[in-house]
Structures are given as C-alpha cells and as structure tokens.
Amino acid sequence: MEDTEIIALYWARDERAVSETAEKYGRYCHSVAYRILQNKEDSEECVNDTYTGAWNTIPPHRPELFSAFLAKITRRISLNRLRNKTAERRGSGQYTVTLEELTECIPSSLSAEDTLETHELTRIINKFLDGLPTDERRVFLCRYWYLDPIKDIAKRFSFGESKVKMMLKRTREKLLIHLEKEGITL
Amino acid sequence: MKPKQLQDALNDVKEEYIADAHKEESETNSAKAAGNLPFALTGSERKGLKKIFRRPSFRIALVACLLLVLGGGAIFATVTHGRTHDKPTPSKPGSVHIPPAEMPKLSATADMLGLICHNGKVYTEAQIFSSDVKEDIWGLVGTYLGETNCEIHEWTARQNENWITELASNVAGTVYTVNGYDDDFRICTAGEWYPEEGGVRYFVFFYECLNGITLNQGSDLIHHKLRIMDRLPDTVEKETKTLLDALYKAPFIVIKPDPESGYYYYGDKSKDFRYIENNNAYLEIPLTDGTSNGFIVYKNGYVKYNCFDLRDCYMVVDPALVEYLFQ
C-alpha cells in the first residue's frame, strides 16, 4: 500500500492504518529501536508505542516522508526509555558512547546548565547538514541519529573503520565551528 | 547545553536526511530489487575508467551518442516513442498513476529513447549538463553502479520477456547515482569528451524514472523527486516562487492521446490547447546544485514537467499565476 493511502487511513480513523504501517515499516522501526535499546522486548514495545504515536498525531499531521516520520517517533520513544533505564544502569550501548562523542561539539563557552530551544538547535543542525557532502551527512546520521556502531557504518559504506572515525571526527569539528558561528555563545 | 540536548535536537532533523542515511531500510521491500551494486570506485578503478574514456573507439561512440541525443532527443531506432508503456491513469481525483515501463510486444517504427534499467525499473533520458570545469560535473556524480550492457534493441522484448535486467540499456556508458537525488528517480552516466576545438569537456547525462509510481499532488514531483524547494536560489523571481508554491499543492490531470492518432496528436488539433500558437512558455528553474528543471507552462494554468514518463500528465494551477510568463 502506498504511504499516502496509509496516511489516508489514519485520517479516516480506520484501524487498518496501524496494521498496514506495521506490515510496511514494522521492521524498519524495530531496527531503529533495537540499535538504541539492544533489547528485543523493549524494542517491540517502543514500536507498538510508535503506532500509537502515529495514531495520535495523524491527523492533524500529514507526514511527507512517512518512513522517516515513524522513525523519528520510534527514536524519541526509544531514547526516553533508554534514559529511564540508564538512570539505573549507566554506561551501556552506543547511546552513551555517542553522547560522549557529541560532547566535543558543544562550544566551550556553554556550560552544562545552559539551554537552548531544541527546535532552534534543530534548525541550526539542519542548516549544518544542508552544507555537508552527501557521504559525510549519511555517516554522521548513521552514527548520531541511528546510533550505528562504527563497524556497521564502515560496512554499509564500504569504508575502513579508521576512515569512518576520521570522517566523524572532522564532522564533529565542523559542527562545533558551525554552532559557534551561529552564535551559540553567551 | 548538554549533549543530551544535542541528541534530542538531532531527532527532528530533516526527514529526507534520516531516510537517506538508512535508505534500504526506510524503503519497502518491494522497492528493493535484486541487482543493486552498492560499491564505490577505488582509485585504480577510476584510473581504469579514465583509460577507457580515452580510447578512441569509446570516445567516438560516446560523441556519436551525444550528438544524436542533443540533435533530436532520440537514440537508435524502432520502438514507438509513445508506447513504451501503458498510459497514465488518474487513480483518484487529483492524482495520477504512471504504470511501469514496458517494451512493446509488436514491432514499431518510431524513435527509441535512451534508456537504462536499474533495480528493476526503466529510466529514460532526461537533461544533460556539460562543463569545462570537472568539479562542476563530478560534484553531481555519486556512487558507481556499473557499465551499461548496450543490449536493448527493437527485438529485445520479443527475444526475452524479462528484458529489464540490471543496467540493460540501449546507450553506452558508465552509470552512477546522482548526488542529492534518490536513485529510484534519477541516475546518470558521466564522463568526458574531447571537442575538435581542443581541450576537454565533462558531461553528466541524467536518466529519470517516473513510471511505476503514483503522484498525488505537485509536491510528490516538485519536492520529493526534483528537490526543487530545497535548492531554490535566492535569485529566483518572486512570481516563480509563487508559482512553485502553487504547484506544490497542485492536483494532476491526465490528458490521454487520441487512440487513433497516437501520441503526437490529440483530437481536434485546432482546438487542443497544446497546439495553439504562443499558448505555452518554457520555464527553466536553475537550482543551487548546478542542475535545472524544465517545465512547459500553458496559459490555461496547465504545467507539465518536461520528461518522457509524464508527457500526458499536467499539474493544474490558477491561470493568473502563469500570466507573468507571457508578458
């Protein structure tokens, strides 16, 4: 079924929307959740919550890219679940590692207490991604959006692991400069 | 600011980037056909390809193809131009379904477009861009997909019903993805040639697939395929921007050709808006990535993307929005 037809089912409040979504994108959403949670049962629950999230947001939302729309919901739910879990048991999985890596991108003039509107930060990151070469952008998102291990990224793009690490390091440095240029300073 | 906030902000980056990074998973299984060659060129492979480009026989063949294409938009002979697949049909009001491409079963007589098969789909020739500056062209060229097999001809469909094999084609070339575009929609051949006046020119030749899909409104084409809205230069005219905004939401209609007279003629020619003199304008929209897209705009507000697959499909906008093109 075409995405637009599935979305039309959501708008019509037809429950087949959920089964069609599960059939078409269940595996994709599960892989997004599993990379974060590393746990099958937790991932399945997050995917089910994703369908509820989609049901609750369509309408009024009409996603343009349905797969990515669902993945965003899955990622958000999975990260929240992981944060709740790691509050008890810290230091596991790609989440913690990537979080540490991202620390490098935060301008030193900002303290941990400083906050910025998340949507404003998203706008700035989008602008940054717009200017990245395609491969660099893909690798960056694989690592920090999907939380893929370096080894998987290297395999996906037929790069060496050291190349991926170097690309990510340079991209983080660029992001740091970009954030500073965008005036994220006190 | 905490890294967690950066992680949260990342969640809402552009959806197209998210889908693109894990493309094979975000697409449906049906969209993934066998035969994809997801490898990149190594340095030695690139050198090897350059050697091939420099072979006189290859250059002659390439230049011959380019001349043919540039001269008439047609390559080789004998598959009916308008009949490589069934006609588009409205699937519901405002949307249009373009059936997958098919080779005609019967012998045919007109020109055959340049085409390349990839991932079980048929891509037909579209724009060509060339430049003296290598980076201008190679910046558009993405992942190496392979070499065409040049085995498609007028008898292909008769000899083998399963003629859509990976990189089957009627043109010679090295095939790549196009940077910044979905390779379900656009792939390219690229290379260099040596003009008589000396020097070297680089070219990229796009092949586009807009068949086997449903377009529900203009944004499905303008945004999701052509990526126009992301790459519109600041210099674009205000009126053009307004027209594009309208096209974004525009419904599609299909005007089928007259079954008796075929693709090039529709009903009473004297009353057909497409044949009225000075009734249309060509709108070319340059993009920031160095490419451009062409549209044929009619005074009645019908707008057609200038490509083979959508030759009978029109987006419809308020005629007042296109008046500026005729002043």
Side-chain angles (χ1 to χ4, degrees), chain B residues 15 21 38 58 66 114 116 125 158 179 182 198 240 246 251 263 276 297:
Chain B
E15 291 176 354
F58 182 85
L66 282 170
I116 297 173
E125 63 183 59
R158 284 187 172 187
N179 278 335
D182 189 339
T240 302
Y263 173 59
I276 299 171
V297 182

Side-chain angles (χ1 to χ4, degrees), chain B residues 31-80:
Chain B
K32 289 189 287 176
N36 193 14
L37 302 170
F39 53 82
L41 275 183
T42 63
S44 59
E45 283 169 336
R46 282 195 183 279
K47 281 178 192 164
L49 281 173
K50 280 182 188 170
K51 282 182 190 167
I52 292 170
F53 275 125
R54 290 199 176 106
R55 281 181 198 158
S57 57
F58 182 85
R59 282 158 49 189
I60 290 165
L62 184 64
V63 170
C65 283
L66 282 170
L67 288 174
L68 277 168
V69 170
L70 291 169
I75 304 175
F76 306 157
T78 67
V79 174
T80 304

Side-chain angles (χ1 to χ4, degrees), chain A residues 2-5 8 24-25 27-28 31-32 35 61 63-69 71-73 75-76 79 83 95 98-99 102-103 105-107 110-118 121-122 125-126 129-130 134 137-138 140-142 144-148 156-158 175 179 184, chain B residues 1-32 38-42 91-92 95 97 139-143 177-183 212-217 219-220 223-224 227 230-231 248:
Chain A
E2 294 281 333
D3 287 355
T4 46
E5 292 171 296
K24 192 167 181 183
Y25 292 115
R27 274 179 62 188
Y28 173 50
S31 71
V32 169
R35 280 189 195 90
H61 206 71
E64 288 186 355
L65 204 48
F66 191 45
S67 59
F69 170 81
K72 275 183 178 181
I73 299 176
R75 185 179 184 269
R76 187 177 293 120
L79 282 178
R83 280 167 191 160
Y95 171 69
T98 57
L99 213 56
L102 282 174
T103 310
C105 306
I106 298 172
L110 288 180
S111 72
E113 288 72 36
D114 295 322
T115 56
L116 188 71
E117 287 291 334
T118 302
L121 194 52
T122 302
I125 294 172
N126 268 327
L129 294 175
D130 288 342
T134 307
R137 188 187 68 227
R138 286 174 177 158
F140 182 81
L141 288 176
C142 281
Y144 300 114
W145 202 95
Y146 287 97
L147 309 188
D148 285 342
R156 176 182 294 272
F157 294 99
S158 305
L175 178 58
L179 290 173
I184 304 185
Chain B
M1 185 173 67
K2 296 176 183 174
K4 178 176 157 295
Q5 195 187 353
L6 204 52
Q7 188 73 269
D8 286 342
L10 266 170
N11 200 71
D12 287 323
V13 297
K14 289 182 182 173
E15 291 176 354
E16 68 203 65
Y17 291 161
I18 297 168
D20 178 59
H22 269 213
K23 202 171 172 186
E24 77 289 353
E25 288 178 6
S26 64
E27 290 173 348
T28 59
N29 291 337
S30 60
K32 289 189 287 176
F39 53 82
L41 275 183
T42 63
S91 50
K92 60 185 175 184
S95 72
H97 176 69
L140 292 165
V141 175
T143 308
T177 62
V178 181
N179 278 335
Y181 295 88
D182 189 339
D183 66 352
I213 61 168
T214 298
L215 299 171
N216 289 297
Q217 60 175 1
S219 62
D220 290 348
H223 182 59
H224 296 307
R227 319 298 319 174
D230 299 339
R231 291 153 201 188
Y248 198 88

Side-chain angles (χ1 to χ4, degrees), chain A residues 7-149:
Chain A
I7 292 163
L9 290 174
Y10 278 104
W11 275 77
R13 311 315 285 160
D14 185 330
E15 289 177 10
R16 279 179 302 156
V18 173
S19 55
E20 292 292 343
T21 304
E23 187 178 328
K24 192 167 181 183
Y25 292 115
R27 274 179 62 188
Y28 173 50
C29 291
H30 189 274
S31 71
V32 169
Y34 189 81
R35 280 189 195 90
I36 296 169
L37 294 162
Q38 301 289 307
N39 179 292
K40 198 178 162 195
E41 287 74 29
D42 284 350
S43 302
E44 276 168 12
E45 283 183 32
C46 284
V47 173
N48 284 332
D49 289 348
T50 299
Y51 303 144
T52 311
W55 182 264
N56 290 335
T57 46
I58 311 173
H61 206 71
R62 195 183 283 277
E64 288 186 355
L65 204 48
F66 191 45
S67 59
F69 170 81
L70 293 167
K72 275 183 178 181
I73 299 176
T74 309
R75 185 179 184 269
R76 187 177 293 120
I77 292 170
S78 303
L79 282 178
N80 285 339
R81 179 176 283 251
L82 184 76
R83 280 167 191 160
N84 289 337
K85 289 182 80 168
T86 50
E88 303 156 14
R89 177 179 54 84
R90 297 196 66 81
S92 62
Q94 294 298 318
Y95 171 69
T96 313
V97 181
T98 57
L99 213 56
E100 280 167 14
E101 289 173 6
L102 282 174
T103 310
E104 292 175 25
C105 306
I106 298 172
S108 55
S109 53
L110 288 180
S111 72
E113 288 72 36
D114 295 322
T115 56
L116 188 71
E117 287 291 334
T118 302
H119 71 266
E120 173 62 9
L121 194 52
T122 302
R123 184 193 66 76
I124 292 168
I125 294 172
N126 268 327
K127 196 173 161 190
F128 170 72
L129 294 175
D130 288 342
L132 280 185
T134 307
D135 278 350
E136 211 173 311
R137 188 187 68 227
R138 286 174 177 158
V139 167
F140 182 81
L141 288 176
C142 281
R143 181 66 177 152
Y144 300 114
W145 202 95
Y146 287 97
L147 309 188
D148 285 342

